[in-house]
Amino acid sequence: MSEQRKAKAEDFDWDNLGFEYHDLPYRFRAYYKDGKWSEGGLETDSNIPVNEAATGLHYGQTIFEGLKVYRRKDGGANIFRPDRNAKRLQNSAARLMMAPVPEELFVRALKEVTKANQDFIPPYGTGATLYLRPFEFGGGPVVGVHPADNYVFEVYATPVGAYYKGGLTPTAYVTNHYDRAAHGGTGAAKAGGNYGASMLAGDEAHAAGYSDVVYLDPRLHENIEELGSANFFGITKDGRFLTPKSPSILPSVTKYSLLEVAKELGLQAEETTISINDLDQFAEAGAMGTAAVISPVGSITHNGNKHVFYSETEVGPWTQKLYDLLTAIQYGDQEGPEGWAVDVPLD
């Protein structure tokens, strides 16, 4: 296969990046065969030869992760909580009967890709980051419905801009009749099929003028599960940080980080069942995930009834404090718990 034109660092306007893919010079790739992973290493070709009968193409043996590299003020770089993403990829692999990627291999891949592409880590202060996408898929040829014998693990990198231009901006969400995941299904795994199934619901919400969909539990269609591809949180009028608890919710690294950050700020924090009919208990609300860290929720419309939280135009004070503290830890401006901001050795 011929290689695509590689990106060059001088081509980027770091202050005006979008959230897009760019073909950088290097990616890390390892292969699972005969019951073990290869040592893996850097490769330059962004195209992967795949057998036509690969389970990743036919039977959904495809899982992935998402992390960011943050340029520190001193010129160094941090990866945020890579051990949590490593464990989540292993859990996703177990659910889809795929070969688990060892944590050592996972973290080494992140660091090697970051160092090899260090010229593409956006400068401190731009709000931009280097996004890392680890993924694994079944590459072995299989006709019957059973797991592959061979797997491919890769990490690629692409610089991305700040999710919000000009600060946090509340957006509107809406419920609908679609389910994000079945009870007992793959909702807790970061499986590619979950995202493919969500595209129609998201597209219909966007066409109606909403930011995304509020997914309710698949059994009762009453309790909040996720907001698009992000986890939900609400801050009650009496100072509690609440986020939904369900076996079909993806365990967000950002969510579990914010649960701890909320406690540091003096909020009572817990995972619990949250009914769509109890929105009036919240003074503020938001969606949380790797891409934006926090996306303030201005309103949720359910069965034609619109509920407005703190404001449809301004971010709430607690939401701003949560965002400021977590991003300060990610960028290394403030010391966080051990293992959260992991240094990446650069040249």
Side-chain angles (χ1 to χ4, degrees):
M1 294 184 182
S2 61
E3 295 189 26
Q4 303 175 28
R5 179 188 178 276
K6 298 298 180 186
K8 296 181 180 180
E10 57 265 29
D11 294 338
F12 290 95
D13 178 356
W14 301 117
D15 292 306
N16 295 286
L17 283 178
F19 208 86
E20 302 169 347
Y21 170 79
H22 300 280
D23 190 353
L24 301 195
Y26 300 101
R27 65 275 305 127
F28 182 100
R29 205 169 285 154
Y31 303 87
Y32 182 88
K33 186 177 181 181
D34 298 327
K36 62 181 180 180
W37 285 99
S38 67
E39 182 178 355
L42 296 172
E43 299 191 13
T44 59
D45 194 347
S46 54
N47 296 304
I48 307 174
V50 180
N51 187 278
E52 61 189 355
T55 59
L57 297 177
H58 298 275
Y59 300 136
Q61 280 197 303
T62 305
I63 55 178
F64 69 98
E65 283 295 323
L67 306 89
K68 285 181 176 179
V69 179
Y70 300 83
R71 179 74 77 177
R72 298 194 304 266
K73 187 181 295 185
D74 64 6
N78 291 334
I79 301 178
F80 187 67
R81 305 192 75 177
D83 59 321
R84 293 297 296 252
N85 291 90
K87 290 179 175 62
R88 191 170 67 177
L89 190 74
Q90 291 175 345
N91 292 337
S92 296
R95 180 63 182 83
L96 274 73
M97 296 191 69
M98 301 171 66
V101 176
E103 183 176 330
E104 182 277 330
L105 174 60
F106 183 92
V107 176
R108 177 165 59 88
L110 299 181
K111 291 184 176 181
E112 288 193 23
V113 167
T114 300
K115 183 176 181 180
N117 295 296
Q118 62 186 288
D119 291 344
F120 297 90
I121 306 173
Y124 175 86
T126 61
T129 54
L130 184 68
Y131 181 79
L132 302 180
R133 170 56 63 84
F135 64 95
E136 180 188 352
F137 67 89
V142 173
V143 176
V145 182
H146 58 82
D149 294 323
N150 302 337
Y151 295 90
V152 178
F153 167 64
E154 179 180 325
V155 179
Y156 73 76
T158 185
V160 295
Y163 206 79
Y164 298 108
K165 299 296 182 182
L168 303 178
T169 304
T171 57
Y173 289 78
V174 65
T175 61
N176 63 23
H177 64 280
Y178 294 104
D179 289 330
R180 176 188 165 271
H183 188 86
T186 59
K190 202 165 177 66
N194 295 347
Y195 296 81
S198 73
M199 290 182 182
L200 178 59
D203 188 68
E204 291 185 2
H206 299 155
Y210 296 95
S211 177
D212 218 320
V213 177
V214 178
Y215 289 105
L216 304 178
D217 71 282
R219 281 186 165 181
L220 303 175
H221 275 210
E222 177 183 335
N223 301 314
I224 296 175
E225 297 232 317
E226 292 197 12
L227 273 61
S229 57
N231 281 191
F232 171 83
F233 74 84
I235 300 172
T236 65
K237 297 170 183 176
D238 60 353
R240 292 178 295 149
F241 178 98
L242 305 183
T243 184
K245 184 176 183 178
S246 165
S248 54
I249 291 176
L250 182 72
S252 165
V253 176
T254 305
K255 176 179 81 170
Y256 286 110
S257 301
L258 283 171
L259 279 165
E260 295 190 43
V261 168
K263 294 175 184 176
E264 286 295 315
L265 291 174
L267 294 168
Q268 179 183 335
E270 62 178 300
E271 293 179 272
T272 186
T273 300
I274 300 175
S275 171
I276 191 66
N277 299 313
D278 293 335
L279 297 180
D280 58 356
Q281 69 178 307
F282 297 114
E284 301 177 34
M288 46 191 170
T290 298
V293 182
I294 290 176
S295 170
V297 176
S299 68
I300 289 178
T301 298
H302 176 59
N303 291 337
N305 299 313
K306 180 179 179 180
H307 178 86
V308 176
F309 295 95
Y310 178 79
S311 169
E312 292 185 90
T313 57
E314 298 180 3
V315 61
W318 280 115
T319 301
Q320 186 70 60
K321 290 178 183 178
L322 290 164
Y323 177 84
D324 289 345
L325 180 51
L326 185 56
T327 54
I329 294 171
Q330 291 170 331
Y331 280 100
D333 294 333
Q334 183 162 328
E335 186 174 355
E338 183 178 357
W340 279 30
V342 176
D343 176 72
V344 182
L346 304 176
D347 292 334

